[in-house]
Amino acid sequence: MKSMLRSGLFEIEQESIAPIPAEARHGRSQELFTIWFGMNMTPLTVVTGATATTLLGLPMVSSIIAILLGHALGGIGMALHAAQGPQLGVPQMLQARGQFGSRGASLIVLVAILMFVGYFSSNLIVSADSITALLPEAGGTAMITGCAVLSFVIAAFGYNLVRKVTAFGAYIVGALVLVSFAALLAGGDFWARMNHGEFTWTGFLAMLAIGIVWQLTYAPYVSDYSRYMPARSGTRGAFWGTYLGCVVSSALLMILGAGVGIAVGGVDTMTGLNGILGPVLGAAVLVGFALVAAAGNSVNAYCSALCALTLVETFASGWRPGAKARLVTSLVLHVLGVTLALAAATSFASSYFSFLSVLLYVLIPWSAVNLVDYYVIRHGSYAVDEFYAADGGRYGRWNAGSLIVFGIGVLAQIPFMATPFYTGAAAEAMGGIDVAWLVGLGVSSLAYMVIARTAPALVRLHSGSAEPQVLGK
């Protein structure tokens, strides 16, 4: 019987969270590069980069170094997650059951869903703002809704169309970025002001952290795309395709944002870019950015649907969600994202977007446990079919050891946090420098290795022969 899992470009993807069998595997590392290169080609990336020279007040050279170093370092952890996809063939958040148990992983999955919806809404807002800056009569509500409809249509068809659209968008916005850089460097304001600002370790390390955390936010779903790659492709192709695509694009656009920010002073970043480019070219670039960002937002939508299905399946024993379940879930999440985006002016929405920074602290210990367990403890050997067992299989419903480490990792970060809600004592003593991410990664990694080596039963590590990697049939 011919597999229906390998859908055509405009055929509804039939798979959701089940393991991808060998006959449905396809794709190359170059395609992963274009997915993640296109994913970051958004106005939100440019606006975030402007933080270096505007809010943090760094000179241009210092900003470039902080941006490049931050993304280069953060990309390593992110891409190590992507390299798990070809081996296991399941979505990233479902694979968390191998470390935390079926019910324990649901806590991480819920956090990931909240984060995905938040970033989906953020992209809707920035994309709509880029168009309404040129066409005020279009209306923000109409633009947000239109961008969401475009995202839903692409995400509805599934993996193959999402992959092709982001790849196509990478070429379009890549060309627009080159044009933008040429216009920026040709202007006198940039060269006259590039040394404006003052280097401070607080500002430098803050921008460094932004780059690192920006990359780590992709960790919960990079395997959702590499899971379709043939197992024989190994980890190297998935790692480098994802790493280079994500790091190069995000660093490039943030450097552009930093340059625009220093050239235009306190002007809104996208409005400033429009002014640098001129009315005709500026309109083309802003609209191009907005449309590609709206289409690329389907990446967030697709992955958030897989996470939501994973969460429901945890408590619906024996249920195997298919295409219909994925479509309904995607529609619900789009409606939720649009509602949040339209409410952006309210205090609730403002607090929610600030709360996203807190969610990142929660995901960092998960990332540490996942990477140590996969690469150091189990060496990529998992009984994949047991991820779906009603009782959690050999991984159980709750993995006490991993959850303890997770709690330790979150608590260890608290003194070092610097957020709109709370600034820890250690962060205040360091002048507001936020190194919580570094503390969380280090403490969680060390604690998990100690528990796995000294009390393997506590993390449900079976002694003796390596665990089999059993892919779904």
Side-chain angles (χ1 to χ4, degrees):
M1 180 177 177
K2 183 179 178 180
S3 172
M4 294 296 292
L5 295 179
R6 187 167 179 175
S7 305
L9 196 60
F10 292 101
E11 294 177 343
I12 301 295
E13 179 188 2
Q14 297 302 304
E15 192 53 274
S16 60
I17 63 172
I20 307 300
E23 64 269 21
R25 300 292 192 96
H26 61 289
R28 300 173 299 168
S29 59
Q30 295 94 318
E31 293 172 334
L32 288 178
F33 174 87
T34 54
I35 286 174
W36 295 108
F37 191 87
M39 172 63 180
N40 283 289
M41 290 292 180
T42 69
L44 183 61
T45 317
V46 180
V47 171
T48 303
T51 301
T53 53
T54 55
L55 183 62
L56 299 176
L58 293 172
M60 190 63 199
V61 174
S62 300
S63 299
I64 292 174
I65 294 173
I67 290 170
L68 290 176
L69 187 58
H71 287 285
L73 292 175
I76 295 172
M78 175 273 302
L80 285 172
H81 286 285
Q84 300 170 12
Q87 175 77 2
L88 301 178
V90 297
Q92 185 73 68
M93 285 292 94
L94 194 139
Q95 192 255 328
R97 294 176 179 180
Q99 294 91 42
F100 293 89
S102 60
R103 299 285 175 87
S106 64
L107 301 174
I108 316 300
V109 174
L110 180 59
V111 171
I113 293 171
L114 293 173
M115 187 183 74
F116 291 155
V117 172
Y119 283 117
F120 175 81
S121 301
S122 299
N123 276 320
L124 286 180
I125 294 169
V126 177
S127 298
D129 286 348
S130 294
I131 297 178
T132 54
L134 300 170
L135 303 170
E137 65 277 8
T141 299
M143 289 298 98
I144 287 174
T145 304
C147 289
V149 170
L150 177 60
S151 168
F152 173 74
V153 171
I154 297 169
F157 283 104
Y159 170 80
N160 282 322
L161 187 58
V162 171
R163 178 167 56 92
K164 289 297 183 182
V165 167
T166 51
F168 183 66
Y171 294 114
I172 294 177
V173 181
L176 297 178
V177 168
L178 292 178
V179 170
S180 300
F181 266 111
L184 175 66
L185 297 178
D189 288 341
F190 171 75
W191 297 106
R193 298 175 181 174
M194 69 173 298
N195 291 323
H196 282 201
E198 180 182 358
F199 174 86
T200 63
W201 281 110
T202 300
F204 182 84
L205 292 176
M207 198 62 211
L208 178 76
I210 286 174
I212 290 173
V213 173
W214 182 276
Q215 294 296 323
L216 291 179
T217 58
Y218 291 117
Y221 60 129
V222 282
S223 273
D224 293 1
Y225 292 91
S226 61
R227 83 191 201 278
Y228 266 99
M229 290 183 66
R232 65 178 180 276
S233 66
T235 61
R236 182 172 298 180
F239 177 92
W240 285 112
T242 306
Y243 180 87
L244 292 175
C246 206
V247 169
V248 170
S249 61
S250 52
L252 193 64
L253 261 70
M254 284 200 186
I255 290 173
L256 174 63
V260 171
I262 209 168
V264 302
V267 179
D268 172 77
T269 305
M270 298 311 292
T271 301
L273 178 59
N274 183 40
I276 291 172
L277 293 168
V280 176
L281 190 56
V285 169
L286 290 187
V287 172
F289 264 121
L291 292 177
V292 172
N297 216 8
S298 60
V299 175
N300 280 319
Y302 176 80
C303 295
S304 61
L306 294 183
C307 280
L309 291 173
T310 298
L311 182 65
V312 175
E313 192 271 347
T314 302
F315 302 96
S317 179
W319 180 57
R320 291 294 179 268
K324 183 178 180 180
R326 183 177 63 80
L327 289 172
V328 172
T329 302
S330 182
L331 178 60
V332 171
L333 291 172
H334 273 81
V335 171
L336 179 60
V338 169
T339 302
L340 187 60
L342 293 177
T346 68
S347 59
F348 165 76
S350 176
S351 298
Y352 181 83
F353 290 129
S354 297
F355 182 61
L356 291 177
S357 61
V358 178
L359 298 182
L360 297 177
Y361 295 120
V362 178
L363 286 174
I364 283 171
W366 157 78
S367 180
V369 169
N370 175 273
L371 294 178
V372 171
D373 188 71
Y374 185 92
Y375 290 101
V376 179
I377 305 301
R378 302 184 199 265
H379 304 288
S381 184
Y382 293 86
V384 175
D385 280 351
E386 295 197 32
F387 291 166
Y388 303 86
D391 61 354
R394 69 178 63 201
Y395 307 107
R397 289 195 174 99
W398 303 92
N399 189 315
S402 296
L403 291 169
I404 290 172
V405 170
F406 180 78
I408 292 172
V410 171
L411 292 174
Q413 295 178 83
I414 293 177
F416 301 90
M417 291 179 179
T419 74
F421 296 111
Y422 167 81
T423 299
E428 286 184 351
M430 292 186 291
I433 296 175
D434 187 344
V435 294
W437 57 271
L438 180 60
V439 174
L441 283 174
V443 170
S444 302
S445 298
L446 180 60
Y448 190 79
M449 282 193 286
V450 169
I451 289 181
R453 298 301 188 193
T454 60
L458 198 59
V459 293
R460 293 183 174 269
L461 184 66
H462 298 266
S463 59
S465 60
E467 298 187 38
Q469 181 208 359
V470 183
L471 292 178
K473 301 297 186 289

